[in-house]
Amino acid sequence: MVMAAQWRRIRGNGGRGPGAVVWAVPLAVALTVALAPQGSGSPADTSPADTSPVAAAWADGVADGFASVNALGQNGTYGGRDGKTVTVRTLADLEKYATAAEPYVIVVAGAITMDPKGKEIKVASDKTIVGQGTAGEIVGGGFFLGQGVHNVIIRNLTIRDSYMGTWNDKDHDFDAIQMDGAHHVWIDHNDLKHMADGLIDSRKDTTFLTVSWNRLETHNKAFGIGWTENTTADITIHHNWFRETEQRNPSADNIAHAHLYNNYLQDAPGTDINSSYGNYSRGNTKMVLENSYFEGMKNPVIKDATASIVQRGNTFVGTSGRNESGGTAFDPKTYYPYTLDPAAKVPSVVKSGSGPGGTPAR
């Protein structure tokens, strides 16, 4: 988890097996917040104004899970900590800094509306994009990380409302976050909802990805992983709240190592959205599923005949249909350290700690 203003321990060895310990220093400067108003055409504010420990921690964070593993020439995931901190309030400024070649910590200080609707900003490597308090919002679009893009952190944002009026929309590929062949990405403490297609699409061998402490809600296709015949991706998914999402919770296709733990999947009764399935291990995926909490979900855990799921310590309340396990998987602790919350505490822990404005030290 985040350790602001302290040394950070990261384990890894090329992404395979227990390896050497390296130490990374968090961003020395605090997250900057500009308090003076700006016009739509004004430049981003780079003046430090908020040096509180909580503000600094959002920008200083380095990833856990597979995003922390040293591999592919990248030592963990720390985003833009080695670059300047800029505060943005306009689409032009957000796109300018997110697509730049240089590293940046980009603080989103208000609601930014995408134009045209569905626009996905093509984020470059070595970026941290973080919301200021609970004010940072991306409305009507999202982010795209292309082939080879790496070392990107997206935290503490609300990304919402590219929905085009069709529930199972096959005409608008308007995702909150789409990744095609990226690596070392950390998606943390965001609220993702009401988009036209996927909330998160991890595609085409995107790997060394950690998705943690997010709220994925009020949606059809929540979190899809795959779009590849290769089985090379390593992904950690923990402490996320899947609430009123019909499918892809996630759908995990051809993942070499899929580690899911302490997630809360909730299908509340009496709503217009009904789950079709929960965690789905597809293709050749090897999945370890630990201490998660499934409430009211139909088909909470399913797998293909070719896929594996090792279940440990999960809780199922009011679920129905398929709940499957089988095959062999892997030991996540040979890749990185982690601590499990008891499954019984997952609803309260995830409800209180997930999404923007929570405590970044969790």
Side-chain angles (χ1 to χ4, degrees), residues 290-359:
E290 300 182 286
N291 287 34
S292 288
Y293 195 102
F294 298 81
E295 181 180 330
M297 299 293 294
K298 183 178 180 181
N299 301 315
V301 184
I302 61 177
K303 73 178 204 68
D304 288 349
T306 53
S308 297
I309 299 178
V310 173
Q311 286 202 46
R312 292 193 287 260
N314 301 299
T315 295
F316 301 90
V317 176
T319 61
S320 62
R322 296 165 63 185
N323 184 354
E324 300 171 340
S325 60
T328 60
F330 60 98
D331 181 3
K333 288 187 177 178
T334 64
Y335 297 91
Y336 52 81
Y338 66 100
T339 301
L340 292 169
D341 286 318
K345 293 185 178 180
V346 163
S348 60
V349 168
V350 171
K351 283 180 179 180
S352 63
S354 62
T359 303

Side-chain angles (χ1 to χ4, degrees), residues 4 21 101 112 172 189 193 198 213 248-249 267 271 288 358:
V21 175
I112 295 177
H172 302 96
H189 276 94
K193 56 189 175 184
W213 295 101
R248 300 184 185 175
N249 294 307
D267 184 352
T271 69
V288 175

